[in-house]
Amino acid sequence: MFEKVLIANRGEIALRIHRACREMGIHTVAVHSTADADAMHVRLADESVCIGPPASKDSYLNVAAIITAATITDADAIHPGVGFLSENADFAEMVEEHGFAFVGPSPDHIRSMGDKIEAKRLAIELGLPVVPGSDGAITSDAEARQTAEGIGYPVLVKAAAGGGGKGMKVAEAPEELQETLDICRREALANFGNDALYMEKYLGQPRHIEIQVLGDGHGNVVHFGERDCSLQRRHQKILEEAPSPALDAASRDTIGKRVTDALKKINYRSAGTIEFLYEDGEFYFIEMNTRLQVEHPISEMICDIDLVREQLKIATESPLSLTQDQITYNGHAIECRINAENPVTFAPNPGRINEYHAPGGLGVRVDSALYSGYTVPPHYDSLVSKLIVHGANRNECLLRLRRSLEEYVIEGIETTVPLHQKLIADPQFLDGNYDIHWLEAWMAGNANENGG
Ligand code: ADP
């Protein structure tokens, strides 16, 4: 096993990785920007290296500084966490070229899955069902019109390099298509430096269901069932649950097997997630994330597995220690993403935490780097905590979540805790009866009720 791992990230996910390392007797190196000198991930790590000023591009995305930090601290491996450099194939390649193990997939897999057009082509080749759409990139406006006629409106125009819910736009009818293409091309170029677009049928009421996998790079791949991430705002996940209220054991096994069969063909290594839309009993591949996901803890809770520990073992080139038969599902888990934002307008609200008290008790897990007296810096993602609750069944999980949200004290900044409290009291949510469009409609309804 590694003796020392450098964690190229910050906040709760850096802490999450640190915890797995400590339990395995691995020393950790934290990296941080000047804005994060007092951050919890720096305080808990065995060593830390300042890698630059606050702006992410000069620190957490500063490849040269991170490789240098790994060199001077004599680390064996680098874990990229989520976001930042975690899906940057050039970074993964450079880490390996400098003699460190990269705790993640092979750079080639990161590269092909990072281009959404190439990912979709690969998904088809590997036998996964995809959303009907353009055959690869849209090469001309005329072709786009023809494709849209073929699949039927509404259509969704997407950027090949898109991510984080950015770079996609719906055209409801033929007369909207030209403008949609123009806007998407401009936005894709501005945000991702790549204006390649593709098109998909816009599904009216799908759920977002994703399958968590682990592969060892030697042809063994297992899955850990699904997560339902349909509750989204602007294509960003707000609350996730596992298992999905919409799936039964037979459909779980069927889609799980299709996914593992597909990934065995490419000798996939490390953790990954295949995201699908699910409508009328059919699955449609939308993308693959070649990294750990923010919502991975709910799979850990129901499968009783530490995915980061497994990632670390795989990165030492060990074969998978688990077979599919050994993976069983126990109870129900829900994760609430708690952001430093106004719960109604979602305006970021960084600042000093005057008082902090996290909920606890049976079945409650808080993945957060907050503490009393800490100042949430304004430079980074507004996710500050993940409240993850496990129960013997969905009902027990919901009751436990309700009391955990009641207990949670975060004073000094606004957070999305009140949004979650309201959401989990809604009868339709309690029934598990929602799709990817439901949350936005529900929020618009609440705004009207409040007279605004
Ligand atoms: P990103 O990489 O930006 O997260 P995805 O392709 O994963 O983009 O899609 C993000 C979300 O956008 C999905 O979870 C879903 O809510 C919505 N979406 C994507 N494709 C479609 C589609 N064809 N029809 C309807 N909604 C879609």
Side-chain angles (χ1 to χ4, degrees):
M1 191 32 76
F2 304 124
E3 278 176 23
K4 201 187 269 186
V5 170
L6 180 138
I7 302 163
N9 217 296
R10 64 180 299 283
E12 65 81 21
I13 198 69
L15 219 54
R16 162 73 192 88
I17 296 160
H18 166 82
R19 287 176 172 144
C21 290
R22 290 303 281 184
E23 290 177 14
M24 298 171 83
I26 301 170
H27 290 274
T28 57
V29 181
V31 293
H32 66 91
S33 70
T34 50
D36 273 343
D38 292 329
M40 191 56 100
H41 78 280
V42 178
R43 293 185 168 201
L44 286 188
D46 295 299
E47 292 171 62
S48 63
V49 182
C50 181
I51 49 166
S56 305
K57 69 171 176 35
D58 302 320
S59 49
Y60 298 102
L61 295 173
N62 183 343
V63 172
I66 292 169
I67 303 269
T68 307
T71 307
I72 58 177
T73 54
D74 201 18
D76 306 307
I78 299 183
H79 195 308
V82 316
F84 293 127
L85 296 166
S86 62
E87 285 177 300
N88 183 320
D90 294 340
F91 174 66
E93 220 156 54
M94 217 174 289
V95 166
E96 291 181 347
E97 276 164 16
H98 282 78
F100 306 105
F102 180 72
V103 187
S106 80
D108 284 350
H109 291 156
I110 299 177
R111 194 167 282 123
S112 24
M113 292 300 181
D115 178 324
K116 297 173 92 177
I117 295 175
E118 169 60 11
K120 204 167 168 183
R121 192 199 58 71
L122 190 58
I124 296 169
E125 193 183 302
L126 295 175
L128 294 171
V130 301
V131 189
S134 56
D135 183 13
I138 296 169
T139 51
S140 70
D141 292 353
E143 185 200 307
R145 276 193 298 277
Q146 216 174 14
T147 305
E149 292 303 330
I151 56 180
Y153 287 88
V155 295
L156 185 61
V157 177
K158 292 176 145 181
K166 295 197 186 77
M168 58 176 104
K169 206 169 160 46
V170 184
E172 298 283 352
E175 56 276 17
E176 288 179 17
L177 184 61
Q178 190 60 51
E179 198 190 340
T180 305
L181 289 168
D182 294 343
I183 295 175
C184 280
R185 234 176 243 129
R186 263 202 312 275
E187 286 184 358
L189 195 62
N191 285 304
F192 312 109
N194 169 357
D195 68 356
L197 301 178
Y198 66 112
M199 188 189 290
E200 278 180 354
K201 171 126 193 95
Y202 182 68
L203 300 179
Q205 41 193 348
R207 299 179 82 111
H208 173 118
I209 293 187
E210 56 185 38
I211 308 289
Q212 173 71 53
V213 301
L214 268 182
D216 62 8
H218 307 293
N220 303 306
V221 181
V222 292
H223 72 87
F224 297 88
E226 82 284 7
R227 296 185 285 260
D228 194 319
C229 312
S230 303
L231 293 172
Q232 302 180 353
R233 174 181 173 268
R234 299 194 176 160
H235 307 301
Q236 297 266 31
K237 298 161 189 166
I238 302 279
L239 175 152
E240 304 94 351
E241 56 182 318
S244 166
L247 230 58
D248 59 20
S251 22
R252 171 172 312 119
D253 290 347
T254 307
I255 190 67
K257 182 159 189 321
R258 271 187 97 160
V259 164
T260 49
D261 284 349
L263 294 175
K264 280 174 189 171
K265 292 183 196 158
I266 56 170
N267 286 338
Y268 187 75
R269 179 183 85 198
S270 199
T273 297
I274 299 214
E275 297 191 336
F276 293 97
L277 294 178
Y278 178 72
E279 192 175 71
D280 300 328
E282 300 291 334
F283 286 92
Y284 304 95
F285 169 93
I286 46 173
E287 70 165 339
M288 175 164 191
N289 289 316
T290 50
R291 54 169 168 81
L292 201 64
Q293 295 213 201
V294 172
E295 60 274 21
H296 76 277
I298 54 175
S299 303
E300 296 188 319
M301 301 306 275
I302 62 163
C303 296
D304 193 20
I305 173 101
D306 182 335
L307 289 167
V308 177
R309 169 189 280 262
E310 298 305 318
Q311 275 192 306
L312 288 161
K313 288 199 285 195
I314 290 165
T316 65
E317 300 186 8
S318 298
L320 267 184
S321 53
L322 281 165
T323 59
Q324 193 64 53
D325 309 343
Q326 291 168 325
I327 297 164
T328 52
Y329 310 105
N330 170 29
H332 198 93
I334 297 182
E335 172 182 280
C336 292
R337 294 191 186 203
I338 297 171
N339 293 348
E341 288 171 355
N342 176 287
V344 177
T345 63
F346 297 92
N349 193 254
R352 187 173 186 277
I353 310 288
N354 299 326
E355 202 167 317
Y356 183 76
H357 177 80
L362 186 66
V364 178
R365 164 174 173 183
V366 179
D367 279 19
S368 172
L370 294 182
Y371 61 89
S372 202
Y374 173 65
T375 298
V376 178
H379 315 284
Y380 313 106
D381 194 275
S382 59
L383 178 78
V384 290
S385 175
K386 303 188 310 204
L387 172 60
I388 304 120
V389 170
H390 181 249
N393 51 49
R394 189 167 187 263
N395 194 41
E396 189 180 292
C397 183
L398 286 167
L399 293 171
R400 187 163 283 158
L401 181 56
R402 189 174 68 186
R403 76 95 180 140
S404 302
L405 285 164
E406 276 166 16
E407 270 179 38
Y408 210 162
V409 178
I410 306 175
E411 269 174 23
I413 58 167
E414 287 181 307
T415 73
T416 49
V417 167
L419 169 77
H420 289 291
Q421 282 175 316
K422 207 163 172 184
L423 174 61
I424 66 160
D426 185 273
Q428 214 173 324
F429 170 73
L430 291 172
D431 283 345
N433 182 14
Y434 55 81
D435 62 29
I436 59 166
H437 306 301
W438 182 81
L439 183 67
E440 286 193 358
W442 176 83
M443 288 190 303
N446 283 332
N448 289 338
E449 251 169 52
N450 297 336

